[in-house]
Amino acid sequence: AQSVSQHNHHVILSEAASLELGCNYSYGGTVNLFWYVQYPGQHLQLLLKYFSGDPLVKGIKGFEAEFIKSKFSFNLRKPSVQWSDTAEYFCASRNQNDMRFGAGTRLTVKP
Amino acid sequence: DAGITQSPRHKVTETGTPVTLRCHQTENHRYMYWYRQDPGHGLRLIHYSYGVKDTDKGEVSDGYSVSRSKTEDFLLTLESATSSQTSVYFCAIAVQGEIRYGYTFGSGTRLTVV
């Protein structure tokens, strides 16, 4: 079965710092990859997705992710974080009807 | 939010009692999903449905059953609630009806089993 690993459990940054959150998936076939964000007390919202084409994907709120097939990675990046980016971030991979989520990375941005 | 609502939002129940959570969508989408969210585990799929009366198990289906008698409603039942089922439950539908576009999630149901 496919799996998704997020190695950073909790990341603390100051405002304006650059962000990179790691995500690795296990499935070697065709996958769709996603990043979701969950603000405190809210449900998950889709940040960005990849299913084909340009491996550099741009999402909402200035986030982007790069699909590197050889590394089975789909890391999330943002050049300059804001206090409002404080949230939990989930990577997910989908193969047909099976969508698997990572354990999540909690991001705290200090003002 | 994209026509998906969950009820109730919060529920406290006693061990051994049955509990039913409801997910309602207005998008007429075929695929619907139930996940549970627990710290350190992310989201784990309980059951999903690919149409009326068509359901299948996910990775953590033990102790749960589902029903889908209408396109718009997907019910999750805990036949006899246990403390290990204390969790936040999210329903999801595929964005624009296409799984490859990702999911839209409901607002969640926080269930506490005492």
Side-chain angles (χ1 to χ4, degrees):
Chain A
Q2 61 173 328
S3 63
V4 178
S5 298
Q6 293 182 244
H7 304 296
N8 311 107
H9 297 295
H10 190 191
V11 172
I12 302 173
L13 296 172
S14 298
E15 276 194 313
S18 64
L19 169 72
E20 181 161 2
L21 302 182
C23 172
N24 289 94
Y25 62 95
S26 64
Y27 184 68
T30 302
V31 292
N32 300 150
L33 298 163
F34 308 87
W35 276 98
Y36 290 85
V37 61
Q38 185 178 32
Y39 298 104
Q42 297 188 24
H43 59 280
L44 277 76
Q45 302 170 45
L46 185 63
L47 264 183
L48 50 79
K49 59 183 178 290
Y50 170 82
F51 51 84
S52 65
D54 189 342
L56 185 61
V57 179
K58 295 193 183 298
I60 61 172
K61 303 178 190 255
F63 286 91
E64 65 179 32
E66 185 175 11
F67 169 58
I68 303 179
K69 189 174 182 179
S70 61
K71 295 184 178 180
F72 294 86
S73 71
F74 190 57
N75 292 354
L76 181 71
R77 301 195 292 245
K78 186 171 185 179
S80 177
V81 295
Q82 301 172 317
W83 176 79
S84 58
D85 293 324
T86 293
E88 191 152 17
Y89 293 80
F90 294 91
C91 182
S93 75
R94 175 233 146 197
N95 170 39
Q96 298 185 1
N97 289 331
D98 190 7
M99 177 88 81
R100 296 291 174 120
F101 288 81
T105 296
R106 186 153 57 100
L107 172 65
T108 301
V109 180
K110 295 182 175 180
Chain B
D1 188 3
I4 180 169
T5 56
Q6 291 184 234
S7 59
R9 293 295 308 275
H10 301 272
K11 175 83 175 174
V12 179
T13 192
E14 293 186 348
T15 298
T17 60
V19 178
T20 295
L21 309 183
R22 180 180 183 241
C23 178
H24 178 80
Q25 58 137 337
T26 59
E27 307 293 316
N28 201 35
H29 288 328
R30 184 179 167 198
Y31 289 93
M32 298 183 76
Y33 306 83
W34 275 109
Y35 283 86
R36 60 178 289 174
Q37 183 180 23
D38 304 288
H41 292 278
L43 275 79
R44 292 177 292 174
L45 181 65
I46 305 171
H47 281 278
Y48 68 98
S49 171
Y50 41 97
V52 172
K53 298 186 179 175
D54 286 326
T55 64
D56 208 346
K57 296 179 179 179
E59 59 180 308
V60 290
S61 60
D62 287 348
Y64 302 94
S65 63
V66 290
S67 66
R68 187 138 178 232
S69 58
K70 298 184 290 184
T71 298
E72 58 264 36
D73 289 324
F74 191 31
L75 305 181
L76 176 71
T77 297
L78 291 67
E79 300 291 346
S80 178
T82 67
S83 58
S84 65
Q85 293 175 312
T86 292
S87 187
V88 181
Y89 292 85
F90 286 99
C91 178
I93 58 174
V95 173
Q96 298 174 33
E98 294 279 343
I99 303 168
R100 62 183 177 148
Y101 294 151
Y103 293 161
T104 297
F105 285 88
S107 298
T109 295
R110 183 173 294 277
L111 177 67
T112 303
V113 183
V114 298

